[in-house]
């Protein structure tokens, strides 16, 4: 098997060389792109506060496949299993309620490293960088669908303090692990029906964010991101943190804008936004997800949307300005399979982008030969990228192709199926 992989790769390498593409360079670049594995696929966005807050804020996880991680220990074991099956450089991203322990009488506004220390030790042991996001939902203080923009100062205070607490924890992750932690703010705030006042809630969100971000941390410890959304379930008529709101905010305050591929109108291209933002020195956090008819957070598949997003990330060497985080959650299939399938698809898409015969395409474009450009774009879809992908996996010591599934099945039998 391994011999076939190497032989196929040798042939593919020559084919690509004839198009002016160096497959070794492509694999080197792919290996250097860090992808943040979103821990919330493993616990169905439930968190470990042991209070069983219902999932609110418009996010929904459907399915009850056995084996959801019920504790942070179980989640870490599951992540380890998934990470073994993934090539390339991985990080892990947590939600602010995925504490590894609760402390008596301390709610989210008072979380500290005491609530996350086992995560830090685990990341150190596995040489992983950590990212984090405050969790402004699934809590009774999300009132009438509002958190940071709520009119009641006491409710705002609670959420502002949560945001500050999570940033502090993130900065410590970054400091101890020696790699900056990306801390992403997404708040579900919005109105189901037409509000009389769209302005004041936005001013309140603005002031609340400024307060959250007032404490300064060096960029080698913490990078702040803000995540807009077009609409959500329960906020169909007005989302306080809309795209225009946060894009302007990120530009003014030097934050990363988070582009979630499920957060735009279905005909709007996230891929097209990448150069528009990056060419102005902007940095982007990507939440790579797949909406089916709505922001449903399906496991990402190797479709045109994913390919075009990945292509735009690598085509102009923007991958150093882009932070890749996955954001899908499916509880109707094995959760580890979901992580592995989706993450490998992200990496395959990036590889396809890296293997594109770009110099030739650009040359044709500069010569106004749009017929040949289209011809080559289409022909290049059938180039043997999969032989390069298999070789990439082989060199990384992870299963090639479908071979990752038996290990997931074995883990399901030995571990996941025993969870109640
Ligand atoms: C919600 C946002 C957000 C969430 C996570 C779980 O629409 O995409 O990033 O997916 O907080
Ligand atoms: Zn998201």
């Amino acid at each position: 098997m391994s011999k076939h992989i190497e032989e196929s790769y040798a042939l593919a390498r020559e084919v690509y060389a004839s198009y002016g593409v160096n497959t070794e360079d492509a694999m080197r670049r792919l290996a250097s792109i860090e992808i943040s594995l979103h821990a919330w696929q493993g616990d169905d966005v439930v968190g470990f506060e042991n209070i069983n807050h219902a999932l609110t804020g418009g996010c929904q996880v459907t399915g009850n496949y056995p084996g959801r991680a019920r504790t942070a220990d179980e989640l870490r074991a599951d992540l380890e299993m998934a990470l073994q099956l993934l090539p390339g450089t991985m990080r892990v991203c947590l939600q602010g309620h995925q504490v590894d322990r609760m402390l008596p009488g301390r709610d989210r506004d008072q979380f500290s490293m005491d609530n996350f220390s086992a995560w830090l030790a685990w990341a150190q042991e596995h040489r992983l960088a950590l990212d984090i996001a405050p969790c402004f939902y699934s809590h009774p203080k999300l009132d009438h669908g509002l958190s940071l923009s709520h009119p009641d100062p006491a409710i705002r205070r609670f959420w502002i303090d949560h945001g500050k607490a999570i940033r502090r924890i993130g900065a410590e992750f970054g400091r101890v692990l020696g790699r900056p932690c990306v801390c992403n703010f997404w708040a579900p705030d919005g109105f189901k029906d037409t509000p009389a006042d769209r302005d004041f809630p936005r001013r309140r969100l603005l002031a609340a964010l400024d307060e959250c971000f007032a404490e300064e941390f060096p960029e080698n410890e913490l990078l702040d991101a803000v995540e807009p959304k077009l609409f959500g379930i329960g906020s169909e008529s007005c989302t306080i943190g809309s795209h225009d709101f946060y894009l302007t905010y990120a530009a003014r305050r030097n934050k990363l804008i988070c582009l979630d591929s499920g957060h735009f109108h279905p005909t709007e291209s996230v891929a097209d936004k990448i150069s528009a933002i990056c060419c102005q020195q902007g940095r982007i956090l990507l939440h790579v997800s797949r909406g089916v008819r709505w922001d449903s957070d399906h496991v990402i598949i190797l479709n045109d949307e994913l390919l075009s997003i990945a292509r735009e990330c690598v085509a102009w060497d923007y991958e150093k300005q882009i932070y890749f985080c996955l954001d899908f959650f499916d509880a109707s299939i094995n959760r580890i399979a979901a992580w592995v399938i989706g993450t490998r698809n992200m990496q395959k898409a990036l590889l396809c982008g890296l293997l594109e015969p770009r110099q030739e395409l650009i040359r044709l474009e500069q010569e106004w030969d749009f017929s040949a450009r289209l011809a080559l774009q289409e022909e290049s879809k059938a180039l043997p990228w999969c032989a390069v992908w298999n070789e990439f996996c082989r060199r990384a010591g992870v299963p090639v192709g479908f071979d990752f599934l038996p290990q997931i099945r074995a883990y399901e039998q030995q571990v996941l199926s025993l969870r109640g």
Side-chain angles (χ1 to χ4, degrees):
M1 181 65 178
S2 159
K3 187 164 155 274
H4 295 310
I5 294 165
E6 287 168 74
E7 283 171 5
S8 308
Y9 171 67
L11 293 173
R13 182 182 176 152
E14 277 177 45
V15 173
Y16 277 108
S18 73
Y19 283 89
V21 176
N22 184 322
T23 53
E24 291 293 323
D25 283 350
M27 284 193 279
R28 241 190 316 276
R29 273 177 74 188
L30 181 60
S32 76
I33 299 178
E34 296 187 16
I35 296 179
S36 199
L37 194 60
H38 55 310
W40 53 96
Q41 161 65 70
D43 69 349
D44 300 349
V45 207
V46 171
F48 305 117
E49 293 166 305
N50 296 326
I51 304 172
N52 283 332
H53 295 316
L55 179 57
T56 64
C59 302
Q60 271 195 10
V61 181
T62 43
N64 56 357
Y65 200 87
R68 179 180 72 79
R70 298 157 303 174
T71 63
D73 279 328
E74 288 183 350
L75 184 57
R76 283 188 282 266
D78 294 356
L79 282 164
E80 282 171 34
M81 184 65 228
L83 290 166
Q84 277 176 39
L85 304 173
L86 298 170
T89 315
M90 302 300 301
R91 316 164 54 93
V92 168
C93 185
L94 301 175
Q95 287 287 319
H97 62 342
Q98 288 179 313
V99 287
D100 46 51
R101 61 182 177 135
M102 287 298 273
L103 298 162
R106 284 222 225 157
D107 206 344
R108 287 186 199 177
D109 56 335
Q110 293 173 54
F111 281 175
S112 70
M113 190 49 83
D114 298 335
N115 301 90
F116 285 90
S117 51
W119 278 112
L120 184 57
W122 177 78
Q124 276 182 298
E125 186 192 331
H126 295 271
R127 295 171 187 280
L128 286 162
L130 291 177
D131 300 316
I132 197 163
C135 183
F136 297 110
Y137 52 89
S138 302
H139 189 286
K141 287 235 156 55
L142 177 72
D143 176 65
H144 289 82
L146 302 177
S147 64
L148 288 172
S149 69
H150 199 282
D152 179 348
I155 292 187
R156 268 198 326 273
R157 167 64 32 220
F158 176 84
W159 289 116
I160 291 168
D161 287 344
H162 176 58
K164 288 171 145 178
I166 295 297
R167 283 184 77 236
R168 257 178 237 130
I169 293 162
E172 197 168 335
F173 283 161
R175 192 156 52 243
V176 175
L177 300 171
R179 280 138 85 194
C181 166
V182 178
C183 179
N184 179 49
F185 274 55
W186 171 73
D189 298 38
F191 293 111
K192 178 184 170 85
D193 224 327
T194 314
D197 184 355
R198 301 170 185 263
D199 185 63
F200 218 55
R202 289 196 163 119
R203 288 172 188 271
R204 287 194 296 260
L205 178 57
L206 208 53
L209 290 168
D210 281 350
E211 218 183 305
C212 289
F213 296 133
E215 191 172 350
E216 286 185 31
F217 297 98
E219 288 215 336
N220 58 2
E221 292 177 7
L222 188 76
L223 291 169
D224 294 306
V226 287
E227 181 179 10
K229 187 164 176 169
L230 177 61
F231 78 93
I233 297 203
S235 58
E236 289 84 352
S237 301
C238 173
T239 300
I240 311 303
S242 60
H243 184 61
D244 311 81
F245 177 92
Y246 275 128
L247 190 61
T248 314
Y249 188 83
R252 287 172 63 223
R253 300 287 193 244
N254 191 27
K255 303 296 177 199
L256 277 69
I257 183 78
C258 171
L259 301 179
D260 182 309
S261 36
H263 285 196
F264 297 88
H265 187 279
T267 66
E268 200 172 348
S269 163
V270 171
D272 183 60
K273 298 179 190 297
I274 289 166
S275 55
I277 296 169
C278 285
C279 77
Q280 302 183 64
Q281 302 264 314
R283 285 176 295 185
I284 295 176
L285 169 64
L286 282 182
H287 264 191
V288 192
S289 181
R290 176 169 59 110
V292 176
R293 303 189 187 281
W294 69 291
D295 181 29
S296 59
D297 294 298
H298 279 62
V299 178
I300 55 174
I301 57 173
L302 195 58
N303 57 11
D304 287 349
E305 199 195 358
L306 185 65
L307 286 162
S308 59
I309 290 174
R311 189 261 177 195
E312 288 302 313
C313 290
V314 297
W316 323 112
D317 298 341
Y318 284 141
E319 72 257 26
K320 295 278 174 279
Q321 279 165 257
I322 296 173
Y323 298 79
F324 297 86
C325 182
L326 305 174
D327 187 10
F328 49 79
F329 26 96
D330 190 338
S332 73
I333 58 174
N334 180 304
R335 292 168 186 79
I336 294 165
W339 266 323
V340 173
I341 295 164
T343 308
R344 288 171 70 122
N345 281 335
M346 180 76 247
Q347 293 172 314
K348 286 181 210 162
L350 288 163
L351 182 63
C352 288
L354 289 164
L355 291 172
E356 183 189 55
R358 193 143 35 251
Q359 296 317 322
E360 184 60 9
L361 286 168
I362 290 171
R363 189 185 66 77
L364 295 168
E365 187 162 286
Q366 284 167 349
E367 289 172 5
W368 309 110
D369 192 350
F370 294 166
S371 317
R373 182 186 63 185
L374 182 61
L376 182 55
Q377 278 169 336
E378 290 307 295
E379 284 307 312
S380 65
K381 288 179 180 170
L383 289 177
W385 63 268
C386 193
V388 185
W389 167 248
N390 288 343
E391 174 67 3
F392 184 73
C393 290
R394 189 193 67 78
R395 290 187 193 177
V398 302
V400 171
F402 206 45
D403 288 355
F404 63 79
L405 209 58
Q407 292 190 43
I408 296 177
R409 286 273 178 251
Y411 186 79
E412 177 169 332
Q413 266 176 6
Q414 288 153 21
V415 180
L416 300 178
S417 65
L418 308 181
R419 293 180 189 164

